[in-house]
Amino acid sequence: MSELFWILLSAMVINNFTLTLFLGLCPFMGVSSRVATGLRMGAANIFVLVLTSISAWVLNTYVLADAPYLRLISFIVVIASLVQIVEMTIKKVSPTLFRELGIYLPLITTNCAILGLAIFQTSRGYGFLQGFAFALGAGLGLTLALVLMASIREQTELADVPAIARGTALVLIIAGSLSLAFMGFAGLLSAG
Amino acid sequence: MSPGSVHGPGAPAPPDEPRTPAWRLLATLGSGGALAGLLLVVVYQLTLPRIEAHKAEALQQAIEEVLHDPARFDTLYLNAGQLTRELPAGADPRALERVYLGYDDAETPVGFAITAAEPGFQDVIRLIFGFDPKTGALLGMKVLETKETPGLGDKIEKDSAFVSQFTGVAAPLQGVKKGAGKGKPGEVDLITGATISSRTVVRAINRALERWRPALAAYRERRP
Amino acid sequence: MIGRNGFRHGVHPPERKELTSAVPIRRMPFPDEVVLPVRQHTGKPARIIVRRGERVERGDTLALADGFISSPVHASASGTVADIDWWPHPDGTSALAIRIAVDRYSPQVPRPRLVPAWNGLAPAEVVRAVQEAGVVGLGGAAFPTHVKLAPPKDQPVELILVNGAECEPYLTTDHRIMVEYPQRVHFGIRIMMHALGVQRAVIGVEKNKPDAIERLRETKPADLDVSVLPLRVKYPQGAEKMLIRSVLGREVPSGKLPSSVGVVVQNAGSVACLAEVFETGLPLVERIVTVTGEGVRRPANLIVPVGTKVGDAIRYCGGLTEDAAEIVFGGPMMGISQATLDTPIVKGTTGVLVLTRAQVPSRRVYPCIHCGRCLDACPVFLNPALLGQLARKGRYREMEAAHLADCMLCASCSYVCPSNIPLAQLFQAAKVGLRRQKASAA
Amino acid sequence: MTTPLQVAAAPHLKGEMTTPRIMWGAVGSLVPVVAAATWFFGPSALLVVGSSTLGAVTTERLLGPPGALGDGSAMITGMLLGLTLPAGIPLWMAFLGSVFGIALGKVIFGGLGFNVFNPALLGRAFLQASFPVAITTWPGRPESWAALRGDNFAFPFASPQPDVITEATPLGLRKFEGADTPLWDLVTGSTGGSLGETAGIVILLCGAYLAARNYLNWRTPVSLLATTAVLSGALHLLDAARYPPPLFMLFSGGLLLGAVFMATDPVTSPVTNRGRWIFGAGIAALVVVIRVWGGLPEGVMYAILLMNALVPFINRATQPRVFGTRLAQAAT
Amino acid sequence: MKKTTPAADFARGLWRENPVLIQMLGLCPTLAVTNTVANSIAMSLATLFVLVASSFLVSSVKRLVPNQVRISTYVLIIATFVTIADLSLEALVPTIHKALGAFVPLIVVNCIILGRQEAFASRNPVGRSVLDALGMGIGFTLTLLLMGGIREVLGNGSLLGFRLFGPRYEPWIIMILPPGGFLTLGFILLTYAWWRGRAAAAARTRELAARTRAPAAAAARAKAVS
């Protein structure tokens, strides 16, 4: 139990996917100008991450044991189809939810956080539950970073940011500062 | 990737395009996949020996380091609480936990090499250590994987004064502040400024030993 | 302070009422010229019916109300229409105005009654008489009084609230009226009660005017259900919504008028004016104004003909001091500073405040440091810090979503802002900008 | 009529408080804290604070908007950063920290009022991440008060010489060695630590003065200190051996300095009063979590920086209810 | 598409359309593996290989691939080459492979690669596609080297492992930590924007000067004529 909790906490804050591992930077830079959008993107990500973790576990356990060289291809194909299926399902089941999340789902396919999760989970040899905790933590961490960045960006829109810093440079500096602040979580639960 | 620059895999084809029959789509993907698979098998077979060799070499190096150049070593698998030299029939070798038993030139066992992992300051620290059940003392320790802070936490790997303490120290270990030791057996001086990382090493070894002790003891008893 | 006698937030600027609070009201001699803008009230400007060169007597109608929400303009002195042209208006713009060269030797005696006697008038007739007498609120906004006396049928009025707070620093007009003419206040209430069919009235007076509270209580007629309620001294206690909150403990819903909670609010001076109009039979042709401030030699409370140029009033009060620097119509918190001494005192002019150079230092504006003092000052609980930042970037739509419409420009936020950000000014500009955006979008 | 009339927008009266006055007030009340640090740590304290202040002021002058020095905010950043450093740190590091804090923590956002993170703490976090050893080396007491501690004059970009005697902070002692520091030592400041960590009483007095003069909003520090006391008190009741008592938590480390001078920075704290209560409580909760379960002995800096990042969020969540809107909602 | 010269195809990616600095693509590897120059080199070479090989193949088979399965095919091709690169790195330079870790397989989702296939290789002849890929890959490499250089020099006092400043240099460890990645790239972008701003200002000044001179000259001419 405590191991699962640590895995979740680690992926969420200690080794935050975005701020420490630089995964999921595309949405972080692109979709982080509004808090509401960030939240939806985050929710979509959590969902897909958990599904990915489960399918990566299934693939690793039952399919890829003897053909590790096909891992990358299988992952990318499975993730792409998964997102496709999820998109279609949501569209059928809940058009409202689709309007909220739908447009973000195709973007997720090319989000390195998803593939990164599958690869990290494999290389660390996580089991099913560990993978689940990992995916949940990673998703929450992504959402946290995304939403924090979005709320800060909304605020800096009101600021007199010097011309040379406007845009990506400022976002990077803020991300660096956030990453610096997240260093405070280092060693959490390992001090005992 | 900027949204919209690339259509998703399922994006509808532009209406002015001629319809391609489904079999052609499947055939393209299928043959592409087959070709890719074929290519990868070839590359995999070509690189496999070297990769395996690298891995084996790394493992051997680590074991040699923590068991002080044994003449040879065996891999023991943990199966149902028992350590066995042979792989149990039908068992998946990847799923089994293992330790390594080293022998000296006279074929006498010198000790076990055991891997351990614990969350450290930044991320999980993985290490291997040598343990001699006869004396209850460690033979050596080597960090296999760490992401601890460069210049600080990574001293657990790079600071020879710290690493060398794990040779000959009695288990269970006790981490103490540098210079604050009372001369008791099992004391290990922690690294100033990297207390958490160095303490994690101590804890990882202690926990691994605690976990392995029954199996190690049982294995010794069964040997002549 | 929550509950009765108070509202939350607000500010405590120095009161400075002692300059004139003990100075009895005095009548100023007629000036050589009065200037009467056709726009002295909220609503459509009045329609001019006189021509240049025409002779007019005091009380004659110069311009007629143009619709229900409008108010006529009367000659405040006998004389000749010298010109009808654009003239500096107290709101900082210029407006069409009728200039009357005052007869030097006219006795200015009122002719027989122009306003009918009150007794026996039906409520609707009272309303018409009040409109024809050009009576508007004298507390600043100059909202036509007759409109208040004819509220929509679906919002029955239960209470008349007389605003004697006079929370703006320096001003003592209402104070002196309540001290010197308390009977008029009561009589005005009686008229309003009749017109509105209401039985109960409350007069709210800030506690810094104990003599006014005492006089009002002494003179209360036995048959009137009127109570005098002392209020906490705090700006903007005199704002309608704040006053209702203080007296009734109720909040007027955002975007609604006081009538939505069954209240009609009328400023004490206006109530007295209503009474005076029916007493004398003369339309609204003069008002009481406080001429005060450190930049005036002899501050006073004056009865002046409407349209008196501010320079004449100041000259009567001994003139400006050496270091006078700014002339403000109204109080220091919401008043408008004037560029010329020729601006006429109009119906809505509560006071003429002359500030000295030392009092109006040049203000360097610093960036907003988000100290939150404006939030603690805003009586309608807006977030002026956020609104100010949005205003700077011209994001009016977002300001609208942040309840810009609820801002009453009381300037409490500007008063407390340590960075000297002209918040109220920004909000006023934003309101105008938003209106323009909407107009061009429509 | 001798003067032309001035025309200005309402209001024509202004409150007394001005931004430079608030800022210089904070600078003034930091003077006793610096003096106390000098009393405890000798002239090294003055050198370190001076160096970081110089760094801040120079950077603001070179990169900031023209005339920005007059508001005094750069001065505060420099002094505060200096007070979070150990006495023996090389002066070039103190200088560099301020340069970083002002340049990338403040100027880049557009200067005073727009920065998201507290520049002093950002500078401190930069130093902590860059030079973790130098910034956690608290040199011991030298023979005489006037002697310098540590290696203040290390050549720029060079490492300090290893100091022979070092002290540990009370929090470090507790976290890494399980040793407690007597409360009396904490209160009187006779412990090791950074420059501004030992003068608890002076800081409290200065804070009370600032709050009384309405230079700072008292809600943040009160919420912060009270929450720390309550949380650590609850833990202490649960297991007195494992969790330190509340008074230890309050008086150790940089909690008081952070509560009075850093969490109260108006620019990087919420604008609403309700937000300030939440902000203070959030910092306190993070401090307790990091101190008790984290890998670092002290967490005030990270706690404040993390809550800084949450400020836009808190502001949004604690927007005041506009007058007359609750009724409107009830009616519809 | 406008006809371009081979030189332009190649040069485009180096600077004017630099994938990282201008297009903001491939940020993940740019930030994650640039804490030493050696890692930067390995990563950029692997990316360069995948980019060029994929562009070559995509451009060669573009007529055979139906439009609907275009992207899937590209992904398949890219993933194949990435796996090859991954296996080769592991076989050849195990230490660096270990240091790069999961970021080698993540080349698959590096938007630069898929982006070039979609934007260029699928519409242009083989030769030009390869040139374009080379240019982009080298542009990527240069950026990574710059990042790696700054971070290793400041963060470790060394370049490619060689100590630069002697033993007394105090490394800025932050530079090789994650925040250092963000800050370094941010700083590079700031410097670039500052430089571009200055260049633009200089150009404006020149233009203004030219414009003010021109009427004067015209007037002078007019006078001379009359």
Side-chain angles (χ1 to χ4, degrees), chain E:
Chain E
M1 181 171 282
K2 206 172 69 207
K3 193 85 187 126
T4 50
T5 63
D9 285 337
F10 177 72
R12 180 182 325 136
L14 298 185
W15 180 244
R16 205 162 45 78
E17 287 180 30
N18 184 295
V20 180
L21 298 179
I22 312 296
Q23 302 185 51
M24 295 294 149
L25 297 175
L27 289 184
C28 168
T30 308
L31 295 169
V33 298
T34 50
N35 46 8
T36 66
V37 176
N39 287 355
S40 306
I41 292 174
M43 175 47 99
S44 38
L45 287 185
T47 310
L48 183 67
F49 160 73
V50 175
L51 184 52
V52 172
S54 313
S55 281
F56 173 77
L57 198 58
V58 164
S59 181
S60 313
V61 301
K62 59 178 178 282
R63 291 190 201 291
L64 303 176
V65 180
N67 199 39
Q68 289 91 328
V69 292
R70 190 176 77 244
I71 301 286
S72 316
T73 317
Y74 300 162
V75 170
L76 197 68
I77 291 173
I78 295 169
T80 309
F81 284 119
V82 170
T83 311
I84 292 175
D86 191 27
L87 290 171
S88 314
L89 279 178
E90 194 173 5
L92 297 173
V93 277
T95 12
I96 287 188
H97 180 266
K98 193 179 161 189
L100 297 182
F103 292 100
V104 178
L106 281 176
I107 294 175
V108 175
V109 281
N110 186 331
C111 315
I112 298 174
I113 298 175
L114 193 57
R116 285 336 280 173
Q117 310 316 321
E118 176 70 5
F120 202 89
S122 59
R123 306 167 184 188
N124 286 292
V126 176
R128 291 184 57 195
S129 300
V130 169
L131 275 178
D132 173 76
L134 265 175
M136 288 291 161
I138 291 175
F140 181 68
T141 307
L142 290 178
T143 318
L144 256 65
L145 283 180
L146 182 63
M147 287 282 293
I150 295 177
R151 293 180 70 184
E152 189 179 340
V153 167
L154 283 176
N156 201 30
S158 64
L159 199 59
L160 273 170
F162 296 107
R163 285 196 99 45
L164 292 180
F165 307 120
R168 290 276 279 133
Y169 175 74
E170 177 79 9
W172 305 14
I173 293 169
I174 187 175
M175 298 307 285
I176 49 179
L177 297 178
F182 285 117
L183 295 177
T184 309
L185 188 57
F187 195 75
I188 292 175
L189 290 179
L190 278 181
T191 316
Y192 176 67
W194 175 78
W195 174 83
R196 211 175 35 179
R198 273 181 51 128
R204 253 199 316 280
T205 318
R206 269 198 308 278
E207 194 188 321
L208 271 178
R211 213 183 283 167
T212 45
R213 244 196 326 274
R221 259 201 313 279
K223 206 170 255 170
V225 170
S226 64

Side-chain angles (χ1 to χ4, degrees), chain B residues 125-212:
Chain B
I125 298 173
R126 282 179 21 86
L127 55 88
I128 186 166
F129 63 95
F131 175 67
D132 185 354
K134 289 194 291 284
T135 58
L138 294 198
L139 297 166
M141 183 280 295
K142 181 179 169 59
V143 174
L144 296 174
E145 205 180 305
T146 165
K147 291 203 175 62
E148 304 298 275
T149 322
L152 205 59
D154 69 350
K155 281 188 188 161
I156 56 168
E157 187 181 8
K158 295 183 174 150
D159 185 349
S160 57
F162 175 73
V163 176
S164 65
Q165 292 182 92
F166 292 86
T167 305
V169 68
L173 308 179
Q174 166 92 46
V176 294
K177 191 193 172 203
K178 198 175 241 167
K182 300 189 181 75
K184 287 194 216 140
E187 276 178 358
V188 172
D189 285 349
L190 300 176
I191 302 167
T192 315
T195 320
I196 296 287
S197 305
S198 43
R199 198 183 271 175
T200 305
V201 172
V202 168
R203 189 179 52 216
I205 294 175
N206 283 340
R207 289 209 175 148
L209 275 178
E210 217 171 288
R211 211 157 55 82
W212 282 100

Side-chain angles (χ1 to χ4, degrees), chain D residues 132-150:
Chain D
V133 178
I135 210 166
T136 48
T137 303
W138 292 279
R141 265 144 233 270
E143 310 267 297
S144 80
W145 176 84
L148 293 181
R149 293 192 181 195

